[in-house]
Amino acid sequence: GESVGLHLPTLSVQEGDNSIINCAYSNSASDYFIWYKQESGKGPQFIIDIRSNMDKRQGQRVTVLLNKTVKHLSLQIAATQPGDSAVYFCAESKEGGKLIFGQGTELSVKP
Amino acid sequence: NAGVMQNPRHLVRRRGQEARLRCSPMKGHSHVYWYRQLPEEGLKFMVYLQKENIIDESGMPKERFSAEFPKEGPSILRIQQVVRGDSAAYFCASSPSSGWSAFFGQGTRLTVV
């Protein structure tokens, strides 16, 4: 069936370290994926996206990797900061643009 | 350029009352999506609308829930005869077209007492 799942519910890292958040998806026909950050009491905030014709995309301090062979997506955050503490969701864009979200990974950054 | 605006931010309703949640998309965005988020869960798609049209309502409960996006004014998510299980955060997102990433509002937190 359609689903997007995350490997770990929580991730704790030291400030300054790199963070890696993983996500698996089940629909091999999916062609567009997005990572969102959600802070407590706020709406999801767009971080970075990637289309299936790409393996990697970089933004400011963030990199998304897509492995279509194993249907796996990851978000890498370089030099993690306390302000990066939040819940991170991967989302798969379906027909019409509706998003299928994973359960989320809570990132906690220790000073 | 204002983002997606939702109001109210918090809404308390007694069981059996009606809840109306409003969403004004970003300027230039004609695609609106509504999602529901239960505590400590991911967002679940409810409905996708364009101006005056419901495109996909596959995530909407069959009863009590309705949505509209009129030619003028905000999109409205309406919940009739609310029950405690309707308590959740409801998020609206908009995009300029279906192939682009959607931007979210801050949500309306509905509490049914």
Side-chain angles (χ1 to χ4, degrees):
Chain A
E2 299 177 352
S3 68
V4 179
L6 296 175
H7 291 312
L8 294 173
T10 60
L11 176 65
S12 184
V13 300
Q14 204 70 36
E15 181 179 357
D17 287 351
N18 297 333
S19 302
I20 300 176
I21 301 172
N22 296 303
C23 179
Y25 63 95
S26 59
N27 188 345
S28 58
S30 298
D31 61 2
Y32 183 43
F33 303 89
I34 308 166
W35 280 99
Y36 286 94
K37 171 187 180 184
Q38 187 177 27
E39 297 174 282
S40 181
K42 296 185 178 181
Q45 176 187 352
F46 171 88
I47 302 174
I48 192 168
D49 58 1
I50 189 167
R51 297 196 182 272
S52 60
N53 61 351
M54 303 173 70
D55 296 322
K56 178 180 179 179
R57 189 153 189 243
Q58 288 186 287
Q60 187 176 13
R61 284 201 305 120
V62 294
T63 300
V64 55
L65 299 177
L66 176 61
N67 186 329
K68 295 179 286 294
T69 302
V70 295
K71 292 185 284 187
H72 182 269
L73 193 66
S74 69
L75 176 71
Q76 300 179 1
I77 304 174
T80 313
Q81 303 168 0
D84 294 327
S85 295
V87 178
Y88 289 80
F89 293 97
C90 64
E92 176 185 4
S93 182
K94 307 295 288 183
E95 60 281 352
K98 74 180 183 184
L99 299 171
I100 306 299
F101 282 84
Q103 283 297 104
T105 292
E106 183 173 7
L107 176 64
S108 176
V109 182
K110 296 177 287 187
Chain B
N1 186 13
V4 178
M5 303 301 292
Q6 289 189 249
N7 68 83
R9 290 294 307 276
H10 300 274
L11 182 62
V12 179
R13 284 289 177 266
R14 296 186 184 279
R15 281 178 294 170
Q17 291 184 318
E18 179 180 286
R20 281 189 178 231
L21 289 61
R22 295 174 186 78
C23 169
S24 295
M26 289 180 68
K27 186 177 181 180
H29 288 194
S30 59
H31 298 242
V32 167
Y33 308 82
W34 285 93
Y35 293 83
R36 176 164 62 178
Q37 185 176 35
L38 296 172
E40 298 188 10
E41 290 192 9
L43 286 79
K44 304 292 186 189
F45 169 78
M46 298 181 75
V47 62
Y48 161 37
L49 310 102
Q50 295 181 26
K51 283 288 186 181
E52 300 184 277
N53 288 304
I54 297 174
I55 307 302
D56 182 346
E57 56 182 347
S58 58
M60 288 279 269
K62 295 288 184 259
E63 298 177 345
R64 301 188 298 108
F65 285 72
S66 62
E68 63 177 6
F69 189 16
K71 187 177 180 180
E72 301 290 338
S75 175
I76 305 288
L77 179 67
R78 181 183 179 202
I79 312 172
Q80 295 178 291
Q81 299 174 324
V82 296
V83 301
R84 289 221 172 108
D86 297 332
S87 296
Y90 292 83
F91 290 97
C92 169
S94 73
S95 70
S97 74
S98 62
W100 292 78
S101 56
F103 293 87
F104 283 80
Q106 297 299 329
T108 293
R109 279 145 188 86
L110 173 66
T111 302
V112 179
V113 297

